[in-house]
Amino acid sequence: MPLRPSRFLSASRAPWRGRVLTLIAATLMVLAVPAQQAAARTTETASARKSAPAARPAKAQRAPQAKAGLARPADRARAAQRRGHGARLQKVRHVARVIEPAKPSIGQAIGLHSVEDPLGLASSVALVTDAQSGQVLFEKNGGAVLPIASITKLMTALVVLDSKAPLQAVLDISEDDRDQERNSRSRLPIGARLTRLELLNLALMASENRAASALARHHPGGERLFVQEMNAKAQQLGLTDTHFTESTGLSSGNVSTARDLARLVQAASHYPTVRELSTSSELGVDIKGRQVMFRNTNRLVGAESWGVMLQKTGYISEAGRCLVMMARWAERPVIMVFLDSQGRHSRLGDAQRVRDWLDRRPTQSRVPVGFHAS
């Protein structure tokens, strides 16, 4: 049975367990694409190898003819020199690199990118709301349930702060914090010791996965209770289409909608620590006696014209490029959510396109009539 966008766009009609099963089915379909392409390359390679030996006898037949013409010593010397040069060239092996095609995101697999919008956004999901009135200014597939990658870390931060655990307590990075699912890189080595506040800063600003993992692992009650409290907090905030399975966002089982994430950003904006840490430009921390600098993953933070008040970026292949933030537009705070964007910088480009579109809207009090697509 083919997957249909409508099954994701009507998220509020079914419990999250049913939608997670649908996401798993879509993920299996996504993973099947590279396997089929690999099988096709294997077949092509085998065919090429079978046909290759036919060209070798011709070279062997030409060799005696060439040697027969080498009557003079000078000719023989030049031929020997060429053979030596050729032998050196043969020592260099040309290794063909097989470039794996990018895995399609869940949004691509279920057809969300087929939904058009007047701005030609690279994100299949977008939502812009007035943070004061709650009015929707722009919406595209706002109810689609998708993986949210490291946007997860916003909820991680809320649970850490709600626990009232001491922020100056020193915590360690252990083998348990190593990414076993995707083998992603981290600049936090095993054995590093940082304060809870520093780990929270790195999780929000630099999206450090080991920092988020360590925060959950050192939570009073342990990691399992931490995840339970993440889901309890989601229910408390009315995030009915949101579910978490871990604290980093590396799992595609962490899912939500743009509408729920706008509510999450609104709630997170009431935490001064989250606003401050998520918008810090850089942080230097001492790791085993060496100062290491970390920088914000969102370059709009450094742009004064944007007035970013809170932000978080995210990426895994199933989720595409993601961005949520609260920024100022026309002296008003607006919340922007972009999910499943294709292209390294496309989510930032989409934010600029939406802002330019808002600036062009001829409306009273600078609040436009919203665009809705689903």
Side-chain angles (χ1 to χ4, degrees), residues 9 56 108 137 139 165 169 173 175 178 189 211 219 227 231 241-242 269 300 305 337:
L9 300 181
R56 295 177 181 172
Q108 288 176 315
L137 309 179
E139 182 174 17
I173 302 295
E175 281 290 343
R178 190 187 299 275
H219 181 68
V227 176
N231 286 307
D241 296 318
T242 299
S269 69
L300 295 182
S305 60
V337 180

Side-chain angles (χ1 to χ4, degrees), residues 83-124:
R83 285 196 299 272
H85 179 66
R88 286 193 298 272
L89 289 178
Q90 290 176 1
K91 293 181 181 179
V92 180
R93 294 184 177 181
H94 297 279
V95 180
R97 294 182 58 191
V98 177
I99 300 177
E100 293 289 344
K103 295 179 180 179
S105 66
I106 298 295
Q108 288 176 315
I110 65 175
L112 291 181
H113 283 270
S114 64
V115 177
E116 297 182 354
D117 66 81
L119 306 183
L121 299 182
S123 304
S124 71

Side-chain angles (χ1 to χ4, degrees), residues 75-374:
D75 293 335
R76 288 195 295 271
R78 283 193 295 269
Q81 184 178 6
R82 286 196 296 269
R83 285 196 299 272
H85 179 66
R88 286 193 298 272
L89 289 178
Q90 290 176 1
K91 293 181 181 179
V92 180
R93 294 184 177 181
H94 297 279
V95 180
R97 294 182 58 191
V98 177
I99 300 177
E100 293 289 344
K103 295 179 180 179
S105 66
I106 298 295
Q108 288 176 315
I110 65 175
L112 291 181
H113 283 270
S114 64
V115 177
E116 297 182 354
D117 66 81
L119 306 183
L121 299 182
S123 304
S124 71
V125 173
L127 179 67
V128 182
T129 65
D130 186 310
Q132 292 180 345
S133 67
Q135 179 185 6
V136 175
L137 309 179
F138 185 100
E139 182 174 17
K140 175 185 177 183
N141 294 331
V145 180
L146 293 175
I148 59 173
S150 287
I151 307 302
T152 297
K153 294 184 177 74
L154 272 184
M155 182 61 80
T156 298
L158 300 194
V159 173
V160 168
L161 294 173
D162 285 350
S163 73
K164 306 299 182 182
L167 295 180
Q168 296 306 320
V170 177
L171 312 179
D172 68 297
I173 302 295
S174 76
E175 281 290 343
D176 293 332
D177 302 315
R178 190 187 299 275
D179 174 19
Q180 302 294 342
E181 184 169 351
R182 300 175 187 273
N183 297 316
S184 59
R185 297 175 58 187
S186 174
R187 297 178 63 204
L188 289 178
I190 305 301
R193 294 175 56 81
L194 295 90
T195 66
R196 182 175 274 109
L197 182 62
E198 289 174 325
L199 292 174
L200 189 59
N201 197 342
L202 294 179
L204 291 173
M205 177 196 73
S207 205
E208 261 293 341
N209 293 316
R210 290 183 184 176
S213 175
L215 288 170
R217 185 170 52 81
H218 287 283
H219 181 68
E223 184 175 1
R224 178 176 298 181
L225 180 61
F226 188 91
V227 176
Q228 291 176 0
E229 292 181 8
M230 291 175 72
N231 286 307
K233 184 70 173 180
Q235 292 301 311
Q236 176 189 337
L237 297 176
L239 312 184
T240 56
D241 296 318
T242 299
H243 180 69
F244 298 101
T245 62
E246 49 83 42
S247 63
T248 67
L250 289 169
S251 170
S252 59
N254 292 357
V255 298
S256 188
T257 67
R259 295 168 190 165
D260 275 6
L261 291 179
R263 297 186 189 99
L264 176 58
V265 171
Q266 182 75 58
S269 69
H270 295 296
Y271 290 70
T273 301
V274 175
R275 294 200 308 269
E276 177 184 354
L277 299 185
S278 71
T279 57
S280 56
S281 297
E282 59 182 20
L283 175 68
V285 295
D286 183 86
I287 299 179
K288 298 181 178 181
R290 183 170 60 93
Q291 190 77 0
V292 180
M293 294 298 299
F294 293 80
R295 291 178 174 76
N296 204 302
T297 56
N298 183 356
R299 59 182 174 85
L300 295 182
V301 166
E304 294 184 6
S305 60
W306 272 91
V308 178
M309 305 160 63
L310 182 150
Q311 67 81 39
K312 188 68 196 77
T313 62
Y315 171 76
I316 57 174
S317 58
E318 295 92 334
R321 306 281 174 178
C322 304
L323 169 67
V324 299
M325 65 180 177
M326 179 181 286
R328 291 202 170 274
W329 170 76
E331 304 304 320
R332 302 172 68 90
V334 295
I335 296 172
M336 295 186 175
V337 180
F338 300 97
L339 303 179
D340 187 33
S341 185
Q342 302 304 307
R344 186 174 182 83
H345 303 294
S346 57
R347 55 193 169 186
L348 303 182
D350 283 352
Q352 186 64 56
R353 279 185 281 273
V354 168
R355 183 172 177 175
D356 292 344
W357 178 78
L358 292 174
D359 288 338
R360 294 194 300 267
R361 301 290 291 180
T363 59
Q364 296 179 353
S365 71
R366 303 279 290 168
V367 178
V369 176
F371 167 80
H372 300 264
S374 62

